[in-house]
Amino acid sequence: MKTVIGKVEVGSASVDTIKQAAEIIKKGGLVAFPTETVYGLGANALDEAAAGKIYFAKGRPADNPLIVHVNNDFDLERIVQNVPAGARALMDAFWPGALTLVMKSRAGVFSYGHLDTVAIRVPNHIVAKLLIHHSGVPIAAPSANTSGRPSPTSAQHVMDDLGGKIDMILDGGACKHGLESTVIDFSEGNAKILRSGAITLEMIENAIGRVGAPTQNDTNAPKSPGMKYKHYSPKAKVTLVKGEPEAASTKILELLNATNTSNPVIIAPSGDKKLYGNAPFIGLGRRMEEIAANLYAVLRQCDENGHDEIFAQGVAEEGIGTAIMDRLYKAATK
Ligand code: TXA
Ligand code: MG
């Protein structure tokens, strides 16, 4: 299959390109599209055969359910049994945005993932919104990477993983957040965080009161099938070192000296480069938001450069730092 790339910038030509993509969705094809978190691989969520193609293209395990993307005008009652008050409050506060809510689904609407719940998100990206609008259906979309690889934050990343396997990629440039949405489960009453993301625990608790951070156990719970698989992994071996920058850099330099891999590299906040002398180093960026936005591109770059080992310096686990560390922990777990 030839994968077409359609560049989308603001203007009428872009709307035509998005309409072309919407036709592909309506006909049961696959379109990768930008969102404010990462690129998604979209199909008509109500067409089982179309959604099935997503699993095939990504090599995704069949028991891992998909997030359904809709616009704010969508009548949720069509697909969920009821909208809990806490979920409603979070929708009001953060939709459109980087927040996915899991709720009890209506029987018989979705079969993939084999669950009686559905994860729903309203993305905040003009291209995603227009694609959903012109398709006229909810769009099921996981991240548009090969299963297990870091999520794509550019059209080129999608092409690298899925070129030849999908019908079209809408190229809307780099994604703003660079990490996947926060996933919160409301299917058992109380809110439970299944995946941290750009909407932080602090922001959620400001809106609905105490929720509590996910524990390592929660993240592995079968509740969110996706969490049990290998994730966000470059080909290189990743070692994550936590702690204050001085202590972490000392430890990393020790490990670097002792390792017998042939092409190791350090990844750390750009401001800490001075702690590493002439050791091979890739800066992740300065502010936490920048580090989040660059993380997956840097992990992919490490593979491209042929690095066989990555020493990652941890960041403080607060705000979006929690999500950055979650992804680094998972990248470091093989
Ligand atoms: O930012 C994002 O969320 C991106 C963009 C494209 O929207 N999508 C994304 O999808 O990251 P994906 O499939 O890569 O990750 C979705 C996660 C998976 O871990 C999956 O297991 C979980 O959400 N999930 C989906 N439906 C679920 C459900 N009904 N119950 C529990 N977890 C669910
Ligand atoms: Mg994913």
Side-chain angles (χ1 to χ4, degrees):
M1 174 187 297
K2 182 165 163 15
T3 302
V4 177
I5 291 205
K7 272 250 180 234
V8 276
E9 283 145 22
V10 179
S12 58
S14 292
V15 174
D16 287 344
T17 307
I18 294 169
K19 282 184 177 166
Q20 194 190 328
E23 285 308 312
I24 294 173
I25 296 278
K26 285 189 217 171
K27 288 190 185 124
L30 299 184
V31 175
F33 61 97
T35 81
E36 77 280 30
T37 58
V38 300
Y39 274 72
L41 178 59
N44 178 355
L46 303 175
D47 176 342
E48 204 173 320
K53 291 182 190 168
I54 291 178
Y55 288 82
F56 188 71
K58 279 183 60 99
R60 183 179 178 95
D63 67 349
N64 193 359
L66 305 172
I67 296 177
V68 174
H69 296 68
V70 297
N71 281 333
N72 257 339
D73 60 3
F74 184 78
D75 177 12
L76 289 178
E77 308 284 327
R78 278 175 59 192
I79 57 176
V80 305
Q81 288 180 16
N82 74 309
V83 178
R88 176 64 63 197
L90 291 182
M91 288 171 195
D92 291 344
F94 302 113
W95 275 4
L99 176 71
T100 297
L101 299 172
V102 176
M103 290 173 273
K104 284 251 179 249
S105 60
R106 280 191 183 280
V109 185
F110 304 107
S111 59
Y112 36 83
H114 317 293
L115 296 176
D116 57 359
T117 58
V118 61
I120 307 173
R121 175 161 112 79
V122 175
N124 190 12
H125 190 294
I126 185 67
V127 175
K129 286 183 191 179
L130 287 171
L131 180 65
I132 294 165
H133 174 75
H134 289 294
S135 301
V137 291
I139 295 185
S143 49
N145 51 292
T146 298
S147 243
R149 296 261 295 146
S151 293
T153 54
S154 73
Q156 187 58 51
H157 294 162
V158 180
M159 196 64 178
D160 291 344
D161 279 17
L162 302 177
K165 298 182 174 173
I166 63 178
D167 298 289
M168 187 171 185
I169 301 169
L170 290 173
D171 180 356
C175 299
K176 179 177 160 221
H177 294 310
L179 295 179
E180 305 83 351
S181 62
T182 306
V183 180
I184 304 190
D185 183 11
F186 276 97
S187 66
E188 285 168 355
N190 288 338
K192 187 168 161 207
I193 301 193
L194 298 182
R195 178 174 75 187
S196 53
I199 306 291
T200 64
L201 176 65
E202 294 83 342
M203 292 161 78
I204 288 158
E205 292 193 332
N206 269 338
I208 58 168
R210 179 119 183 93
V211 174
T215 66
Q216 208 54 28
N217 248 352
D218 283 342
T219 344
N220 290 327
K223 233 7 256 174
S224 201
M227 312 291 164
K228 70 174 181 271
Y229 298 107
K230 187 163 87 89
H231 258 89
Y232 321 116
S233 296
K235 293 178 192 121
K237 175 184 176 203
V238 180
T239 303
L240 173 61
V241 178
K242 295 197 330 179
E244 293 301 316
E246 281 74 18
S249 63
T250 305
K251 179 75 189 158
I252 286 176
L253 287 171
E254 264 173 47
L255 292 169
L256 185 74
N257 266 326
T259 190
N260 51 16
T261 53
S262 59
N263 192 8
V265 67
I266 296 159
I267 65 173
S270 305
D272 292 333
K273 181 170 176 17
K274 55 185 182 298
L275 300 172
Y276 292 99
N278 291 326
F281 181 94
I282 300 178
L284 286 165
R286 287 174 191 277
R287 289 176 310 106
M288 288 293 241
E289 284 72 21
E290 217 183 300
I291 292 173
N294 291 335
L295 178 63
Y296 288 148
V298 168
L299 291 178
R300 282 173 178 265
Q301 191 195 330
C302 288
D303 279 348
E304 259 167 46
N305 294 358
H307 292 298
D308 51 1
E309 186 165 21
I310 297 170
F311 295 103
Q313 181 187 312
V315 299
E317 288 182 68
E318 59 196 22
I320 194 156
T322 306
I324 295 171
M325 286 298 279
D326 168 67
R327 305 316 190 262
L328 282 172
Y329 282 126
K330 291 191 173 121
T333 312
K334 295 259 162 157

